[in-house]
Amino acid sequence: MNDSWSKLERLHAEVAERSIFGLFSDSQRFQKFSAETNGLLLDFSKTNIDDVILQNLIDLAEEADLPAMREAMFQGACVNTTEGRAVLHTALRSREESTLEISGKNIRPEVRATYTRMERFAEGIRAGGIETPGGRMFTDVVNIGIGGSDLGPLMAVKALAPYHTGPRCHFVSNVDGAQISDTLEKLDPRTTLFLIASKTFKTVETITNARSALKWLEAAVAGDASGHLAAVSSSPERAADFGIAEDRVFGFADWVGGRYSLWGPVGLPILIAIGAKRFNEFLLGGYEIDQHFRSTPLRHNLPVLMALVGIWHNNFCGYATRAVLPYDQRLEKLPAYLQQLDMESNGKRVDRGGSPLKMASSPVVWGEPGTNGQHAFYQLLHQGTQVIPAEFLIAANSHEPDLKEHNDLLKANCLAQSEALMRGRPLKEARKLAAGAKTAAIDTDCLAQHRTFPGNRPSITLAYDKLTPFVLGQLIAFYEHRVFVEGVIWGINSFDQWGVELGKELASSLLPLVQGAPADEKDGSTRGLLVKLNCM
Ligand code: F6P
């Protein structure tokens, strides 16, 4: 461990018990421990971080070589060492003209050319220039993909519902036939377009769903169903083998990781839903954060600060999970999207050199929109035995000006929760309440214990004007860079995902057993379950 790490451990021991609320005796605390770029505000003043701790966290990032690593990523160095790849999803949203080379080839012309094709295709579907084989407009688009080929576009399409001006978008990801069955049930095959999205084009769930979709089409439309198909993949050959016309395949390079891919062809459902003008605003939001992240001093750099707060909570305070709580219903899929972004990127046990990590890596990420979560799991946030840092998101303006009362209540609840987590309710106050509401079953002191809130629970708040395409672009790029910074500080490769392999291999070897092959080699539990599931 380096100097700053040990220093931060000592600092934590010194301040662990102090009151976060007490830190607000500094009337400038909010100004000091918040940062803003282009309308996006990060407030981390409701944490136990002070000037000294923040400076040491910044030193930690410097010692981990963050500025150099950041530049290496933006310039296309082989940052994803275990897969021998650059990491350049930022190039998909870049407005820059300067040459950006991978293996001696400038990648910018290809990025632009692919985008132009995507835009033409999307606008064709939206305006009717590209028709169904039967000469009608497409009314519905079904994205078939999983993980990074699903969660990003699904989350963004839901988030940007007020901007939808195109055909309806649906998403099928799970190999569970229930999902495709329920989705297709309400669709007309004659006016449905399938986008088959798979970076590798060999993910079993996606290929299985795509085959079922094709069967459904072939049973209903006369002749060739290929006019109802398009694909998004880094493996155009495999897409062609599936029967998808070459001009309907949108490729992207291996330097775009699946969970970072919604800025390019994987974002086609978003482009089809909101159109090119709005999609460009989305890209611009991401690009604005890239510039901010790349050039702003660490002390004022939003993704860096957010990452440092995460490191403080995870590694020094020992909080093993973090809750993502959007007070913005249209961000309902943000927690699921961030689960992949954070946990697939940073859920690692060895450092870049292959040595076991000496510290905790990715926390468990989970959450639900407010106010729904308040009536479900917030009890634990306030009075449970674990401290869970909460990450609130809230807009100043909604898309429903006529429903002001709703919006006022939403804001009041969001602010109330972060205040309640911080301030709690002391025993003394709980005693007064308990005395006034005496029940026969329990004495006042006992009831007061139940009604006490320990408080001193940290939270951060991200606030923005309105959930526009630009703001969504900012938010996603911001989270991507937070993941990168945390990974750099832990010394890990955030861009591979070897941990998903074993389960996939075992699933393919278990398939014959599920279909009746002998399972003698398997453990007792697996055999018992095979019997229960009617496989033996
Ligand atoms: O199994 C994990 C994973 O490889 C993710 O990293 C990826 O986003 C997802 O599967 C889907 O992969 P593909 O886009 O190649 O179908």
Side-chain angles (χ1 to χ4, degrees), residues 250-272:
F250 299 88
F252 59 102
D254 68 3
W255 39 257
V256 180
R259 54 194 173 273
Y260 298 87
S261 64
L262 82 172
W263 310 97
V266 169
L268 255 181
I270 315 170
L271 183 53
I272 292 174

Side-chain angles (χ1 to χ4, degrees), residues 131-415:
E131 292 179 328
T132 70
R136 294 167 65 178
M137 288 214 19
F138 283 105
T139 55
D140 295 88
V141 175
V142 181
N143 187 81
I144 296 184
I146 197 165
S149 299
D150 167 68
L151 288 165
L154 169 66
M155 177 270 296
V157 164
K158 279 192 179 283
L160 299 177
Y163 301 89
H164 287 197
T165 47
R168 292 177 289 267
C169 288
H170 314 265
F171 292 83
V172 171
S173 52
N174 203 323
V175 79
D176 183 339
Q179 194 182 20
I180 191 158
S181 168
D182 289 355
T183 306
L184 299 187
E185 196 179 63
K186 31 182 208 280
L187 299 182
D188 179 348
R190 292 166 302 174
T191 56
T192 300
L193 175 76
F194 289 91
L195 286 177
I196 302 167
S198 175
K199 181 174 170 179
T200 54
F201 223 80
K202 51 183 191 181
T203 302
V204 72
E205 291 91 333
T206 301
I207 301 303
T208 307
N209 277 320
R211 279 203 209 104
S212 298
L214 191 58
K215 265 193 214 143
W216 180 77
L217 280 172
E218 283 170 345
V221 298
D224 186 8
S226 66
H228 292 264
L229 302 176
V232 168
S233 184
S234 292
S235 179
E237 320 75 45
R238 289 199 196 109
D241 289 348
F242 191 84
I244 296 169
E246 203 184 323
D247 65 336
R248 292 277 186 99
V249 180
F250 299 88
F252 59 102
D254 68 3
W255 39 257
V256 180
R259 54 194 173 273
Y260 298 87
S261 64
L262 82 172
W263 310 97
V266 169
L268 255 181
I270 315 170
L271 183 53
I272 292 174
I274 65 174
K277 181 177 168 286
R278 294 299 191 182
F279 191 77
N280 266 294
E281 292 167 9
F282 169 70
L283 295 180
L284 192 61
Y287 177 59
E288 191 271 321
I289 291 292
D290 291 342
Q291 288 178 302
H292 168 86
F293 175 54
R294 203 169 174 181
S295 59
T296 308
L298 303 190
R299 173 65 181 85
H300 304 286
N301 193 311
L302 267 78
V304 173
L305 291 169
M306 181 91 153
L308 296 179
V309 173
I311 297 274
W312 171 250
H313 286 153
N314 182 4
N315 298 111
F316 299 99
C317 304
Y319 307 148
T321 87
R322 60 181 168 223
V324 180
L325 308 170
Y327 278 66
D328 200 326
Q329 177 61 31
R330 293 198 178 95
L331 287 176
E332 66 177 309
K333 287 288 170 189
L334 184 70
Y337 168 77
L338 291 179
Q339 281 177 335
Q340 186 192 17
L341 189 65
D342 271 281
M343 293 159 74
E344 198 172 75
S345 298
N346 284 341
K348 308 284 166 66
R349 55 174 283 282
V350 296
D351 66 15
R352 283 193 293 270
S355 303
L357 290 177
K358 295 195 180 78
M359 73 288 269
S361 60
S362 176
V364 173
V365 177
W366 59 283
E368 276 290 320
T371 58
N372 289 3
Q374 289 175 206
H375 300 273
F377 55 80
Y378 278 38
Q379 163 67 39
L380 183 150
L381 296 187
H382 289 288
Q383 289 189 316
T385 50
Q386 302 176 45
V387 174
I388 295 169
E391 301 189 354
F392 296 100
L393 292 104
I394 181 101
N397 295 297
S398 78
H399 287 91
E400 293 76 30
D402 297 346
L403 298 175
K404 187 174 176 313
E405 189 188 351
H406 290 249
N407 194 240
D408 289 349
L409 279 166
L410 189 71
K411 284 179 190 165
N413 273 279
C414 181
L415 297 176

Side-chain angles (χ1 to χ4, degrees), residues 27-104:
S27 62
Q28 291 303 300
R29 181 163 175 83
F30 172 74
Q31 285 75 6
K32 283 190 199 161
F33 298 97
S34 62
E36 187 162 355
T37 175
N38 223 331
L40 179 63
L41 172 87
L42 165 66
D43 170 22
F44 62 105
S45 58
K46 289 193 187 99
T47 66
N48 197 359
I49 290 174
D50 59 21
D51 284 318
V52 179
I53 292 169
L54 185 54
Q55 188 50 54
N56 275 278
L57 287 165
I58 292 169
D59 293 346
L60 194 64
E62 303 265 14
E63 284 162 25
D65 233 1
L66 173 65
M69 292 292 286
R70 177 181 58 185
E71 217 29 48
M73 177 176 74
F74 276 102
Q75 287 183 10
C78 180
V79 173
N80 178 357
T81 46
T82 57
E83 295 183 310
R85 293 173 185 170
V87 172
L88 274 177
H89 48 279
T90 51
L92 300 176
R93 57 198 184 219
S94 174
R95 294 291 195 267
E96 279 154 40
E97 302 283 335
S98 58
T99 303
L100 181 56
E101 288 188 350
I102 300 281
S103 313

